[in-house]
Amino acid sequence: MIFVSPTDCHIIQFMDSKMLTVLILLSALATCLSVPRRCSPGEAAIGRCRTPAEETQCMEMVLGYCQDVPYSHTTFPNIVGHRSRQDLEMGAEYLLLSVIHALLNGECSPDIRLLGCSVLAPRCQDNRIMKPCHSSCEMVKKSCIHAFEAIQMAWPYFLDCDRFFVGSEEGCYDPLSELREKQEVAFANISDGGIFTILRFTYHTNSQMFSILKKTAAKCPHISQTYSIGRSVEGKDLLVIEFSDNPGQHDLLEPEIKLIGNMHGNEVLGRQLLIYLAQYLCSEYLRGNEQILSIINTTRIHILPSMNPDGYEIAASEGHEYNGWTSGRANAQNLDLNRNFPDLTSIFYNRRRFRHFRSGHIPIPESYWINKVVAPETYAVMKWIRSYPFVISASLHGGELVISYPFDLSRQPQEERMYSPTPDEQIFRQLARTYADAHPTMSNNDTERCGASFASKGGITNGAQWYSFAGGMSDFNYLHSNCYEITVELGCDKFPSEEELYPEWLRNKEALLSFMESVHRGIKGIVKDEHGNGIKGATISVKGMRHDITTAEDGDYWRLLNPGVHIVSVAASGYSKASKRINLPRNIQVRRVDFVLKKVPREPSLDYFNIPELDNYERFDPFNQFEQNSRRELGENGEERTEKPWWWAYFSQLGISAPTWLLQN
C-alpha cells in the first residue's frame, strides 16, 4: 500500500511492493505535484523559496526610513526573511537604520541607511526581487567599518556583502547610484576630476575625522594608509594616517617622522591642521606638486591628528565660545597626558655624575608601572615610539605662540623657570627655528603675544626656561628613543572660532612642510658586518655630545647634525669599534656615512653595565597591567560578564529581540 501525505509529498512509504501499479503510481505523483513543497527555514531566510500565496508581488514603498531609495516598489518576504512590513518595523534591523545617523554622528550617512534598505526593503520590478550589487556593499564597508569599530559595534549581519549582495552578472543594481550622481553634480565645478580636495574649514567630530582620514587613504592608496595605535579610555581609535612611496613598509635609509595633535583635548587647532595636512598631501601629490612629491618620495610621515579624542568631545560639547581654559584638557580618566609619561629627565640629571653615562635610550623604571596610573593613550604612544625609527616629531598645542624644545624639566627641582638644555641644544634650536621662521608671525617682534615674552628669542624657547614640569612627551622621546620632538604652541586661543581655521591653515602650512623637510639634515648611513648584513642596535656616538642614537632593524641610522667637523663612532656588542671624521659643509644638507664592523669575541661593556638598571631597555609593561585590565570578568557559572556598550540601550529598552549580532566578539 502507498501512503501519500497531502502536506509532505516527499514521504512515501511502500508497505507492499507487489501491489504497485502504474495507475496508482501516477495517481500518487499527481497528488504530489498538486501540493506545493514547503520552504525550509534556511531557504526562506534568504528569499529563495516562496509558497504560492507568497509569490512575489510588488507593492508601493511606504517605509519611512527608506523613502529616498532609488526605486518606488518593494516586496515581502524580504531578502533576510521578514515576512511583512509590520514584521520588519518591529525588528532590530530596521531600528538600527532609524538611529544609525545618531550613533555614528552623521558619518556614512545616508550610505549605510540606503544600503540597509536595499536588503530589508529590496527593489521589486516586474514582480521579482532585484538584489543590490556586491561592489556597492564592499565600497561602503571599506569606508565605514571603522565608524562601527569606533563605537565597539560589529558590522551588521544583514550588510554581509557575500550573503545578501550579488555580482553584476546576476543582474544587480546599485542602491547608491542616485546619491553618487547628486554628489558628482554638486562637486562637478570644483573637483577637477577628483584630484583636488575640498578642505572644509569647520570643526570635525571624531567620526568625521576618522572618515576623512580613511577616505584620504582610499583616494591615495599608493602613498597612504591608516592604522590604529590603540584606543582611548572610552574606546575611540587613536587613528594614524601614513604617507610614503611605500606605505606600510620601512624603506632603507628613509627617515620617519611623526606629527601629533590634540594631546590636550581642548587645544583643537593642531588637530584640524593635521586633518587638513593629510588631505593636502594626498591631493597635491596627485596634482604633481614637486615639493610634495619630494617629501613623500623621500620621507615616511605618520600623522596622529588626535591623541585625546575623549577630551576633545568634552571641549567640543561646550564650543569655542564657552570652552574654559581646562575643559576637556585631560583624558577621560582626568589625567593630563603631557604629565603622564615616565620621568626619565630626573634619571638623566641624577646620573650625569657617572663618567660614561650617555643620555640615549634610558629604560622605563619599574616604579613607573607600579606607582603611576598609565593612561591607555600614553601607553599606545609609548609603544608607537618604540615600534618605529622616528627621527623628528612635532606635538601641536595651543595657548601661546612659540616653539618649545627639551628639556621641559628644570635641572634644579626647586627652580620653576631655569634654562635646562639637552646635549643636543643646537640641534633642537635649529629644529625650532625651522618652524618659527617659516611661520609669518611666530618669530616677528611685532606679533602680539599671549602673556609671555618670546619675541626677543625669535619665537622659540627652552621648555624648562618657560615653565618646568615632569613626565612630558618631548623629554621622553629624546631620552628613550632616537626621536627629537618639539612642542608647537599655535596661538593664544586654544579653541579658536571656525572663521580662524582658514587663516591659521595658511599661517602654518609652509611651516609644517618646512619642518618635515628638515629631517634631511646631518648624516645617515648603514652599519654592516663584513658580510654586508645590517647590524641592528649599533650605537652611533658623536664626540662632544653625550647623547647616542641606535641603528634600526636593517642597520640604517639618521643622526641630526649641524654643519661643521664631527668625530662619529660606531659600536655594537660583539663587533669592533669604528670611527670617522666627518666634514659637513653648509651647502650639503645630509651626507651618507656607512660603517663596516668586524666580529670580535663578545665581552660585556663595563662602562654601560656599571650603571644600575640600564640593562633592561627591552622591558615594557613588565607587570602586564594593560593585559590584566583587559581581561573579562567571569560570572558564577564561568560565563563571561562584559559591560554592554553605551548604544545597547537603544535596543534593550524596546522589548525587541536583543541584537547580539551587533556586539563585537
Side-chain angles (χ1 to χ4, degrees):
M1 185 177 293
I2 303 173
F3 294 92
V4 180
S5 168
T7 59
D8 204 347
C9 296
H10 68 277
I11 303 175
I12 300 178
Q13 183 177 3
F14 293 91
M15 300 298 292
D16 188 350
S17 59
K18 295 180 180 180
M19 298 178 64
L20 287 175
T21 64
V22 173
L23 182 62
I24 295 175
L25 187 57
L26 290 174
S27 176
L29 291 173
T31 303
C32 283
L33 292 172
S34 67
V35 179
R37 184 175 67 84
R38 283 180 175 176
C39 302
S40 70
E43 290 173 319
I46 58 174
R48 289 181 177 170
C49 179
R50 294 166 182 262
T51 65
E54 294 176 329
E55 284 300 323
T56 301
Q57 295 290 326
C58 294
M59 62 184 70
E60 188 176 350
M61 173 69 74
V62 292
L63 290 164
Y65 290 102
C66 297
Q67 285 298 304
D68 53 347
V69 293
Y71 50 92
S72 58
H73 289 80
T74 186
T75 187
F76 289 96
N78 64 15
I79 296 176
V80 295
H82 296 105
R83 310 195 74 79
S84 67
R85 169 191 164 190
Q86 292 75 19
D87 186 18
L88 171 62
E89 290 180 330
M90 292 299 294
E93 296 90 345
Y94 188 68
L95 175 59
L96 177 64
L97 294 190
S98 72
V99 299
I100 196 66
H101 181 88
L103 292 180
L104 301 183
N105 288 320
E107 186 174 1
C108 295
S109 180
D111 307 53
I112 290 289
R113 181 173 54 78
L114 293 176
L115 194 69
C117 287
S118 72
V119 174
L120 301 180
R123 180 178 181 176
C124 185
Q125 184 174 318
D126 299 330
N127 286 333
R128 69 184 185 92
I129 284 182
M130 299 281 292
K131 288 191 175 183
C133 290
H134 182 274
S135 58
S136 302
C137 177
E138 287 289 353
M139 181 187 67
V140 173
K141 184 176 181 180
K142 182 178 180 181
S143 300
C144 300
I145 192 169
H146 71 278
F148 286 83
E149 293 172 348
I151 62 171
Q152 297 179 292
M153 179 182 283
W155 185 253
Y157 83 91
F158 60 89
L159 298 183
D160 186 324
C161 301
D162 295 326
R163 288 179 62 191
F164 303 119
F165 298 78
V166 298
S168 56
E169 67 278 0
E170 297 183 53
C172 70
Y173 78 99
D174 181 5
L176 305 178
S177 58
E178 287 190 2
L179 176 65
R180 289 203 194 93
E181 288 175 4
K182 292 177 182 178
Q183 292 173 340
E184 289 174 2
V185 170
F187 296 114
N189 296 327
I190 51 180
S191 66
D192 193 42
I195 293 178
F196 293 101
T197 297
I198 303 165
L199 299 182
R200 293 178 55 208
F201 291 98
T202 59
Y203 286 112
H204 298 97
T205 66
N206 286 322
S207 294
Q208 290 168 342
M209 175 184 68
F210 297 149
S211 177
I212 289 172
L213 298 181
K214 291 278 187 179
K215 289 178 180 178
T216 299
K219 182 177 180 179
C220 294
H222 55 301
I223 59 165
S224 64
Q225 68 164 10
T226 57
Y227 64 92
S228 175
I229 62 170
R231 292 184 181 272
S232 68
V233 175
E234 295 181 349
K236 300 178 185 66
D237 261 329
L238 302 179
L239 193 67
V240 175
I241 185 167
E242 169 199 337
F243 289 91
S244 166
D245 59 354
N246 187 16
Q249 300 291 327
H250 170 69
D251 285 343
L252 195 67
L253 291 173
E254 185 169 279
E256 307 203 18
I257 69 176
K258 59 182 169 70
L259 302 171
I260 299 176
N262 205 204
M263 185 183 200
H264 292 141
N266 63 330
E267 297 172 12
V268 300
L269 178 57
R271 166 188 168 113
Q272 291 301 131
L273 293 180
L274 294 183
I275 293 172
Y276 304 149
L277 178 64
Q279 296 173 283
Y280 180 80
L281 291 175
C282 171
S283 62
E284 290 300 297
Y285 189 94
L286 295 178
R287 282 189 61 221
N289 182 316
E290 291 187 4
Q291 181 186 22
I292 303 305
L293 288 171
S294 176
I295 290 174
I296 291 178
N297 289 337
T298 61
T299 318
R300 191 180 182 194
I301 305 156
H302 305 255
I303 300 174
L304 174 63
S306 183
M307 182 178 167
N308 187 2
D310 298 343
Y312 172 80
E313 285 195 344
I314 296 173
S317 67
E318 297 185 4
H320 79 276
E321 293 181 355
Y322 304 101
N323 182 259
W325 193 253
T326 59
S327 296
R329 174 184 175 90
N331 75 340
Q333 296 167 299
N334 200 30
L335 295 174
D336 187 328
L337 299 180
N338 208 26
R339 309 293 187 274
N340 195 235
F341 285 81
D343 177 15
L344 304 184
T345 321
S346 293
I347 297 176
F348 169 77
Y349 290 147
N350 291 335
R351 292 177 175 166
R352 283 180 299 173
R353 67 182 183 275
F354 287 96
R355 179 182 176 186
H356 297 288
F357 176 72
R358 313 290 291 182
S359 65
H361 293 79
I362 298 177
I364 300 171
E366 288 189 359
S367 59
Y368 170 77
W369 304 105
I370 297 171
N371 301 326
K372 194 96 168 178
V373 177
V374 182
E377 297 91 345
T378 308
Y379 183 88
V381 170
M382 287 194 295
K383 287 194 70 175
W384 190 35
I385 291 169
R386 291 168 59 94
S387 301
Y388 292 84
F390 295 122
V391 181
I392 62 173
S393 172
S395 178
L396 277 55
H397 290 250
E400 253 297 349
L401 186 62
V402 69
I403 305 296
S404 171
Y405 59 86
F407 286 126
D408 283 322
L409 179 65
S410 172
R411 63 179 186 264
Q412 295 295 336
Q414 67 276 14
E415 295 289 340
E416 293 185 1
R417 291 178 174 83
M418 185 178 189
Y419 176 61
S420 304
T422 68
D424 281 290
E425 166 72 4
Q426 297 306 315
I427 300 296
F428 273 116
R429 287 183 62 84
Q430 185 61 45
L431 286 174
R433 289 241 59 84
T434 298
Y435 196 104
D437 290 347
H439 190 284
T441 60
M442 190 173 287
S443 60
N444 192 328
N445 291 339
D446 298 327
T447 301
E448 183 178 346
R449 302 288 162 168
C450 320
S453 178
F454 301 114
S456 61
K457 300 178 181 178
I460 69 173
T461 184
N462 172 257
Q465 193 171 21
W466 181 14
Y467 66 92
S468 174
F469 66 91
M473 183 167 67
S474 293
D475 283 12
F476 176 80
N477 270 274
Y478 179 67
L479 294 174
H480 191 68
S481 74
N482 292 337
C483 188
Y484 294 67
E485 182 173 274
I486 61 171
T487 300
V488 181
E489 299 283 347
L490 293 164
C492 306
D493 196 345
K494 294 188 174 190
F495 203 134
S497 65
E498 289 187 336
E499 290 76 14
E500 288 298 312
L501 294 179
Y502 178 61
E504 288 293 351
W505 165 244
L506 295 181
R507 280 191 280 267
N508 286 278
K509 180 183 70 173
E510 290 304 323
L512 287 166
L513 297 178
S514 296
F515 179 76
M516 289 191 286
E517 290 173 323
S518 70
V519 72
H520 300 282
R521 174 184 297 152
I523 60 173
K524 66 178 181 179
I526 306 174
V527 179
K528 304 177 182 179
D529 63 20
E530 295 173 284
H531 303 290
N533 302 311
I535 301 174
K536 176 187 176 182
T539 301
I540 313 295
S541 305
V542 179
K543 187 176 180 179
M545 296 183 180
R546 295 185 66 181
H547 182 78
D548 301 335
I549 58 119
T550 58
T551 55
E553 191 75 28
D554 298 319
D556 46 347
Y557 75 91
W558 307 262
R559 187 29 163 124
L560 298 181
L561 290 172
N562 287 333
V565 177
H566 304 277
I567 306 298
V568 181
S569 300
V570 178
S573 180
Y575 294 90
S576 61
K577 187 176 181 180
S579 299
K580 290 185 179 182
R581 184 177 183 271
I582 309 298
N583 181 27
L584 282 179
R586 291 189 177 276
N587 61 341
I588 296 180
Q589 285 190 318
V590 63
R591 179 176 172 182
R592 179 167 176 176
V593 182
D594 294 338
F595 291 88
V596 177
L597 304 185
K598 297 181 180 180
K599 275 276 190 181
V600 296
R602 189 164 188 163
E603 295 180 0
S605 172
L606 297 179
D607 290 341
Y608 186 80
F609 290 114
N610 278 341
I611 303 173
E613 299 181 12
L614 290 188
D615 58 344
N616 60 350
Y617 180 83
E618 296 303 323
R619 297 188 66 188
F620 184 75
D621 191 11
F623 306 106
N624 295 318
Q625 65 177 36
F626 275 81
E627 181 180 343
Q628 291 172 5
N629 291 341
S630 65
R631 290 175 185 166
R632 293 182 174 145
E633 184 181 356
L634 297 181
E636 294 180 1
N637 299 321
E639 76 280 5
E640 289 186 351
R641 289 193 315 205
T642 56
E643 183 179 350
K644 294 293 190 295
W646 58 269
W647 48 261
W648 187 253
Y650 277 86
F651 305 93
S652 61
Q653 297 175 359
L654 296 179
I656 63 175
S657 178
T660 54
W661 40 269
L662 282 176
L663 296 174
Q664 291 183 332
N665 301 323

